[in-house]
């Protein structure tokens, strides 16, 4: 069966968006975000610059969309059977992503991009991230590991926020065992269990 233009999966707009996102993702592995131009992305994607500006308006909004799409594909919340295992998997995946040029660019743009489109994408991204994290804590309640999930958002913010703080504010690398150490710190605390 031959597809007519109306039957194309995703349509031309979806294919153009995918081509632009793929081109920008590839270029982010080669060029720092500050040096990357819309012209380079357009040339790699095989589209006109005006097509990109019509959809995203600014380079920052485009890169924010690219990086948030990329991170959304990579960052999942697997069910390992325990709260600690789930959190180590999630935090470990975030740390691994933040070690990449694209991941660092996402963190940087998420903290600095101020235009309206980038802000809307950022808000949507974090809403999605916290919704996915809530699933981890809801599962822990169902397994009887914790009494309720109300502190889940704060715990997730403490875990993920520490990763972002370390690479952006302190300019330090993320150690190989950072996920395990952070999760243990959040779940066990700092004070001894028999503090009375």
């Amino acid at each position: 069966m031959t597809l007519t233009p109306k039957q194309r999966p995703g349509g031309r707009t979806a294919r153009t968006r995918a081509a632009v996102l793929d081109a920008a993702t590839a270029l982010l592995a080669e060029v720092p975000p500050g040096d990357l131009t819309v012209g380079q992305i357009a040339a790699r994607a095989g589209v006109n610059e005006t097509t990109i500006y019509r959809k995203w308006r600014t380079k920052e909004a485009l890169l924010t969309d690219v990086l948030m799409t990329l991170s959304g594909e990579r960052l999942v919340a697997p069910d390992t059977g325990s709260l600690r295992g789930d959190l180590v998997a999630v935090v470990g995946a975030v740390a691994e992503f933040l070690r990449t040029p694209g991941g660092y660019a996402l963190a940087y743009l998420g903290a600095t991009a101020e235009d309206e489109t980038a802000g809307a994408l950022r808000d949507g991204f974090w809403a999605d991230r916290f919704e996915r994290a809530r699933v981890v804590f809801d599962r822990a309640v169902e397994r009887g590991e914790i009494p309720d999930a109300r502190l889940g958002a704060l715990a997730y913010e403490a875990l993920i926020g520490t990763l972002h703080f370390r690479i952006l504010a302190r300019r330090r690398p993320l150690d190989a065992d950072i996920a395990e150490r952070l999760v243990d710190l959040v779940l066990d605390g700092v004070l001894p269990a028999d503090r009375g």
Side-chain angles (χ1 to χ4, degrees), residues 16-33 36-47 52 56 58-70 101-103 105 109:
T16 299
R17 180 177 185 273
V20 171
L21 296 181
D22 289 346
T25 299
L27 284 165
L28 280 170
E30 304 167 12
V31 181
L36 188 57
T37 67
V38 171
Q40 290 171 311
I41 297 168
R44 179 75 65 99
V47 301
I52 292 176
W56 287 278
T58 65
K59 180 184 85 167
E60 289 73 21
L62 165 60
L63 293 182
T64 302
D65 192 8
V66 168
L67 295 165
M68 291 183 177
T69 298
L70 182 60
L109 286 171

Side-chain angles (χ1 to χ4, degrees), residues 92-104 167 173-179:
V94 172
E96 182 178 341
F97 181 64
L98 291 175
R99 289 185 190 105
T100 68
Y104 180 84
I167 64 170
L174 299 175
D175 304 329
D177 64 346
I178 188 101

Side-chain angles (χ1 to χ4, degrees), residues 30-177:
E30 304 167 12
V31 181
D35 296 339
L36 188 57
T37 67
V38 171
Q40 290 171 311
I41 297 168
R44 179 75 65 99
V47 301
N48 291 321
E49 287 186 50
T50 54
T51 300
I52 292 176
Y53 283 116
R54 190 167 42 248
K55 167 73 176 165
W56 287 278
R57 300 179 194 252
T58 65
K59 180 184 85 167
E60 289 73 21
L62 165 60
L63 293 182
T64 302
D65 192 8
V66 168
L67 295 165
M68 291 183 177
T69 298
L70 182 60
S71 101
E73 293 169 355
R74 291 187 179 184
L75 306 179
V76 296
D79 186 351
T80 66
S82 73
L83 176 60
R84 183 185 185 279
D86 290 357
L87 290 175
V88 168
V90 169
V91 175
V94 172
E96 182 178 341
F97 181 64
L98 291 175
R99 289 185 190 105
T100 68
Y104 180 84
L106 168 62
Y108 181 80
L109 286 171
T112 61
E114 292 298 334
D115 67 83
E116 185 177 340
T117 304
L121 289 166
R122 179 177 56 236
D123 292 346
F125 169 81
W126 283 115
D128 176 68
R129 293 288 99 195
F130 277 92
E131 185 63 24
R132 291 183 190 210
R134 188 177 63 79
V135 171
V136 169
F137 292 94
D138 287 345
R139 283 196 303 243
V141 170
E142 291 170 10
R143 290 190 295 253
E145 294 178 279
I146 57 175
D148 65 61
R150 285 182 288 185
L151 291 178
L154 183 60
Y156 183 74
E157 192 172 80
L159 292 165
I160 303 306
T162 299
L163 300 178
H164 285 254
F165 177 80
R166 178 171 285 197
I167 64 170
L168 293 174
R170 297 195 66 217
R171 310 281 191 200
R172 299 284 192 272
L174 299 175
D175 304 329
D177 64 346

